[in-house]
Structure formats: structure tokens, C-alpha cells
Amino acid sequence: MPNSSDSQRDLAALLQSRVPLIVIETRDEPRALNLITSLAPRASKQHTPVFQWTVTDGLRRVDIDLGGAQRHNAEPAEVLKSVRATDKAGLYVLLDFHPYLNDPIHIRLLKDICQTHERCARTVVLISHEIPLPRELEHFSARFKLAFPNREERRMIVERVAS
């Protein structure tokens, strides 16, 4: 069974390999987000901004505090259009986006983002408990399996819950 340091190494390799779409199926969202934000500074030679999107809050930057979320980017199509339109590299973590992957407009927007990844390294990370990816997006993607927490991480989890 892979351990947590394997997860860090594997995800870092994925981020550095410039895969445009990373799929993480997990029920441990906070742990996956922490791993991504901890690795983002090492993903490229420059600092890579990390954004998080939820349908309830919209898009917000999570690697530094810039205040609240952008409510105008709460709708799935709007956040994808915003990501597609930016000329800045970044990691865009979309939480629970799986219900929107059956809409042809969302698929086309994701495909546009992926196809222009060489020009502008915008990496989309989908995190949810289950993500059935449309076939036309599969060849742009890599699936990442989050390893079980190691002994130290489990100890920290228990201490956090106990306090």
C-alpha cells in the first residue's frame, strides 16, 4: 500500500509533468487540498497560484488570502470561461464538479483549457468522491490515488479531533 510520502512524490510528479486535468477521487477533501497547496510552490519555477471552486461559494484563491470568493464565478460555465480566458498559469481545484460533467458546454470548455495547456499552464484538478470522466477528456487527464495517512498524519488527526 502506498504511503503519504509516495502520494506527495506522485502528485508532485503529475504537477511537474504538466498534465492539464488531474482527477482525485476521495472522501477526504481537506487532505487532498492540503497536499495540493503544499506542493503548488514546487510545481514550477515560479509560484503557482491555487484556486478553489465550489458551486456554493464560487472561485477563491487558497494559497494566499485575498478575501472572499468571487460569487460571479459560482456557476460552472462561468468559472470554466474565467479559467479559459486567463493568461496566467495556475491550479484550479474544482470540488464536486462531477454532476456538471454531462453538460456538453462544460466538456467543451474543459477541452479548450486542456488543449491550450502548452501555451498557458492552467491545470484543472477535479476532486470528488466519484468522477466519471467523459471519454473526450480522458486522454487529457491523469487519475491520482490519495494514499492512506501515515502514522504521523493519523496522530495529528486524532489530536485535532480530540482538541
Side-chain angles (χ1 to χ4, degrees):
M1 173 175 276
N3 66 33
S4 193
S5 62
D6 290 340
S7 286
Q8 288 180 314
R9 185 189 66 242
D10 293 347
L11 185 55
L14 264 181
L15 293 172
Q16 290 170 352
S17 69
R18 299 175 55 92
V19 172
L21 183 61
I22 299 173
V23 177
I24 303 174
E25 291 182 335
T26 182
R27 294 188 188 280
D28 194 352
E29 241 178 47
R31 191 160 156 256
L33 284 168
N34 286 339
L35 183 59
I36 290 167
T37 55
S38 72
L39 292 173
R42 294 181 260 165
S44 67
K45 292 178 175 73
Q46 304 166 343
H47 179 76
T48 304
V50 181
F51 300 88
Q52 174 185 308
W53 174 87
T54 62
V55 71
T56 53
D57 292 328
L59 188 68
R60 70 181 179 94
R61 190 153 173 191
V62 293
D63 59 320
I64 59 174
D65 187 7
L66 294 177
Q70 300 173 354
R71 287 294 307 153
H72 67 277
N73 279 332
E75 290 301 314
E78 294 309 311
V79 74
L80 293 175
K81 287 177 185 176
S82 177
V83 172
R84 184 181 65 172
T86 188
D87 61 351
K88 304 283 188 247
L91 285 171
Y92 295 86
V93 181
L94 309 181
L95 301 177
D96 296 325
F97 200 81
H98 63 282
Y100 309 106
L101 290 172
N102 58 5
D103 184 316
I105 293 171
H106 301 156
I107 294 168
R108 180 71 244 179
L109 288 165
L110 280 166
K111 195 172 177 183
D112 290 346
I113 293 165
C114 292
Q115 288 177 337
T116 58
H117 191 268
E118 286 300 314
R119 272 195 320 259
C120 184
R122 297 164 304 214
T123 302
V124 175
V125 181
L126 302 176
I127 299 178
S128 189
H129 71 287
E130 184 177 19
I131 304 169
L133 204 59
R135 290 184 55 146
E136 55 264 59
L137 296 176
E138 285 178 0
H139 70 286
F140 293 114
S141 72
R143 289 189 178 264
F144 174 75
K145 181 142 179 76
L146 192 61
F148 190 72
N150 64 25
R151 178 180 292 258
E152 179 61 22
E153 288 175 319
R154 290 191 310 265
R155 184 187 62 74
M156 289 176 13
I157 291 167
V158 169
E159 286 176 2
R160 186 176 65 234
V161 170
S163 66

